[in-house]
Amino acid sequence: MKKIKLKRSQEKRITREAIVLRWMRRSRGISMRAAGLTIGVTNSAISHYEQGRMNLPRARIPELF
């Protein structure tokens, strides 16, 4: 049987960093768009970080807040 390799964006791995990002963003009332503009990424990147579709570098979290 052939094993199918998923793209990173097709699998979800919710990390501590993703949980912290979502909690910090929501607790401060910041939209995904505003968070993305703050660190120079798109709002879809923020969404992917929070949903575990992209790895969130720890260095990015302090840039947001």
Side-chain angles (χ1 to χ4, degrees), residues 14-58:
I14 306 294
T15 62
R16 287 183 194 170
E17 292 81 8
I19 293 167
V20 168
L21 171 62
R22 178 174 282 168
W23 180 83
M24 289 177 76
R25 185 182 61 74
R26 286 183 173 176
S27 69
R28 294 172 189 230
I30 299 171
S31 69
M32 285 186 191
R33 182 177 172 86
L37 288 171
T38 301
I39 63 170
V41 299
T42 63
N43 58 321
S44 62
I46 297 294
S47 176
H48 284 300
Y49 289 151
E50 290 183 0
Q51 293 177 20
R53 291 187 182 134
M54 286 174 50
N55 291 327
L56 174 62
R58 286 183 181 207

